[in-house]
Amino acid sequence: MSTTVPSGADTPRRDDPHAWFDHARFGLFVHFGAYAVPARHEWVMSREEIAPKEYEKYVELFDPDRFDARLIARTARAAGMRYAVLTTKHHEGFCLWDSALTDFTSTVACGRDLVAEFVDALREEGLRVGFYHSLIDWHHPDFTIDSFHPLRHAPDREERNAGRDMARYREHLHGQVRELLTGYGRIDYLFFDFTYPGEDGKGPEDWDSEGLLAMVRALQPDILVNDRLGLPGDLRTPEQHQPVAPMVDGDGHEVRWESCQTINGSWGYDRDNHDTKSADLLLRMVVDSAGKNGNLLLNIGPDGRGGLRRSDLALLEEIGEWMELHEDSVRGAGPAREMTAPQGTLLTQRGDRVYVHLTAWPMQSLHLTDLPRPVRAARLLDDGSEVRFGLIEQPEADLHAHMSVNGLAPGTVTFTLPIRRPDVLLPVLEILLDPAPAG
Ligand code: GLC
């Protein structure tokens, strides 16, 4: 086997401060907040139009005695994730860090700075650190009541808004982002959420997004910032769907992107929602993203005590078992640009190696017609066992009738797979190509 590609994922380029992200391909999203107590989705405050004063009862109940940041970090790493993003504050306004700008924090509620615990745990596991931060704050007295606000149908909505000052709220918003970017060391990724311009909405001018982004860049020059300030960011963030191809900008140039996905459709803990995706589907989304030059950010929502769902842990463990054997087909991998994936496969490529993820196990033969260069060798990635192959070098007409392969074009490479499918979540054929010509 050639040693041109280091065994195990090769390291990201050093000249790009964001190369770690592209190399990682897979991260963990953690939605935790007071909304985990009502346990009916993170938008419960808005959906059920719970007034801020009424909502504070959930903070009185908030006691994350089972929130274990080190368990979360270990679980993420074992699942093959290389970064994690925690909701520092969601739309409800409850802050998971010791903010000097409000008492509506986990520190006041239960004496814990959960952001600090999360950052320390990630660093112990060698994971990159991401913060989700909502631009929205349904609890803040100066945040004007709009189309999503829990008080949107209050009879005295206009009177209430007359006393609210978004300039004061902007100062609060920028001040809290400053706290997060100066109080916890290097932060690798900032996931703002979200801008909804138009009638009764809030656009970039409501946040002073230009000023906010300038401050972020000044405080953490290498940070990755997403695209939800109402301004272009460092990456696109399709949500709960998979792009059909590598994402491009208006000029057709490929852009960095990350699909954020849930296990059951809800970001925050939603006790009675059992719409759980299978490990097979979740894994195929990871591979699909890498094969389209993107990342997958997969979410968990700790429960009302901060504990993790056993079913979520089981899914992540199953994905981790696959990653332990097949990491090379995702980490640092990208699209197999010169190929079209045959039916029943997902393709990725890393250097001279093409990875064929077999979502359906073929009847012995796998035919590839557009490999970019001659094949030197091939193996099943799970056990490293050789897979033999042959090149269709003559037109079908010359083959013996019983050997006819139904019109395969000359140049097709046929791989002979074992009859029995490997007992792994998603079998992978690794194909080593001749080295690309120099230059
Ligand atoms: C949407 C949801 C928000 C969630 C976010 C995750 O904006 O409204 O609740 O945190 O997606 O990307």
Side-chain angles (χ1 to χ4, degrees), residues 118-439:
F118 183 78
V119 169
D120 292 346
L122 291 192
R123 291 188 178 132
E124 262 180 53
E125 287 297 324
L127 300 177
R128 293 283 183 149
V129 176
F131 287 162
Y132 164 108
H133 192 68
S134 177
L135 300 163
I136 299 165
D137 191 323
W138 295 324
H139 183 269
H140 195 279
D142 282 315
F143 188 85
T144 50
I145 300 166
D146 59 22
S147 56
F148 290 135
H149 197 284
L151 295 174
R152 59 188 176 276
H153 296 127
D156 60 346
R157 166 177 165 163
E158 291 321 312
E159 292 80 359
R160 288 171 181 260
N161 268 343
R164 293 178 180 231
D165 178 352
M166 272 300 282
R168 271 202 305 261
Y169 175 71
R170 274 189 292 276
E171 195 176 329
H172 173 82
L173 170 65
H174 289 221
Q176 288 204 315
V177 171
R178 177 178 290 277
E179 287 184 324
L180 289 167
L181 298 187
T182 55
Y184 297 92
R186 173 185 170 137
I187 306 304
D188 298 291
Y189 182 16
L190 187 51
F191 192 116
F192 281 117
D193 189 40
F194 66 100
T195 298
Y196 46 109
E199 190 184 347
D200 214 10
K202 285 187 173 63
E205 67 290 343
D206 289 293
W207 321 125
D208 179 16
S209 294
E210 298 279 356
L212 185 55
L213 185 56
M215 180 188 77
V216 167
R217 299 277 190 220
L219 292 172
Q220 297 261 359
D222 289 342
I223 200 168
L224 204 60
V225 184
N226 77 344
D227 59 346
R228 299 191 183 183
L229 274 171
L231 302 174
D234 300 316
L235 75 157
R236 301 274 294 279
T237 54
E239 179 175 307
Q240 304 240 43
H241 75 270
Q242 293 294 120
V244 294
M247 294 189 80
V248 296
D249 61 18
D251 301 325
H253 299 125
E254 279 195 25
V255 294
R256 181 174 283 116
W257 64 270
E258 171 197 71
S259 170
C260 52
Q261 295 273 12
T262 61
I263 288 175
N264 67 351
S266 176
W267 301 98
Y269 184 59
D270 188 0
R271 180 194 64 205
D272 301 337
N273 175 337
H274 299 287
D275 247 357
T276 305
K277 297 177 181 72
S278 67
D280 164 63
L281 173 57
L282 294 169
L283 175 58
R284 281 187 281 120
M285 286 158 42
V286 175
V287 174
D288 178 66
S289 299
K292 292 166 182 169
N293 211 16
N295 285 23
L296 187 81
L297 186 64
L298 179 59
N299 181 76
I300 56 170
D303 65 25
R305 292 179 59 184
L308 305 184
R309 258 186 163 147
R310 278 196 297 273
S311 56
D312 290 356
L313 287 169
L315 285 171
L316 292 175
E317 185 179 355
E318 216 177 332
I319 292 169
E321 284 170 9
W322 183 89
M323 276 286 189
E324 202 264 328
L325 294 173
H326 303 87
E327 174 185 24
D328 286 359
S329 78
V330 168
R331 193 89 62 226
R337 294 182 185 285
E338 299 162 89
M339 297 180 67
T340 302
Q343 193 172 15
T345 70
L346 292 169
L347 299 182
T348 60
Q349 183 168 351
R350 188 166 56 80
D352 295 340
R353 300 193 186 208
V354 170
Y355 298 93
V356 186
H357 302 77
L358 294 152
T359 59
W361 190 248
M363 173 46 210
Q364 202 160 16
S365 297
L366 174 73
H367 307 294
L368 296 181
T369 57
D370 50 5
L371 283 158
R373 297 191 296 279
V375 176
R376 295 187 61 206
R379 64 175 180 163
L380 289 174
L381 204 44
D382 60 291
D383 67 355
S385 61
E386 183 180 19
V387 169
R388 303 171 80 175
F389 57 94
L391 184 63
I392 306 291
E393 291 173 319
Q394 66 228 41
E396 178 186 347
D398 298 351
L399 295 174
H400 300 307
H402 70 279
M403 287 174 60
S404 165
V405 281
N406 295 325
L408 288 174
T412 298
V413 181
T414 295
F415 297 84
T416 303
L417 296 166
I419 294 298
R420 187 169 183 79
R421 177 192 187 280
D423 182 20
V424 292
L425 201 49
L426 180 59
V428 182
L429 173 67
E430 180 185 61
I431 300 168
L432 177 62
L433 301 173
D434 275 355

Side-chain angles (χ1 to χ4, degrees), residues 35-87:
Y35 45 75
V37 176
R40 299 189 294 276
H41 193 277
E42 76 282 356
W43 272 65
V44 61
M45 186 177 178
S46 173
R47 287 178 174 181
E48 299 181 12
E49 302 188 31
I50 305 170
K53 278 295 168 216
E54 172 71 10
Y55 192 83
E56 289 174 2
K57 69 190 176 191
Y58 295 126
V59 172
E60 290 160 40
L61 280 176
F62 185 75
D63 175 12
D65 61 316
R66 301 190 72 244
F67 183 84
D68 180 346
R70 295 182 64 182
L71 169 64
I72 291 172
R74 285 197 308 274
T75 301
R77 182 153 199 103
M81 297 158 160
R82 290 298 178 266
Y83 62 102
V85 180
L86 173 68
T87 51

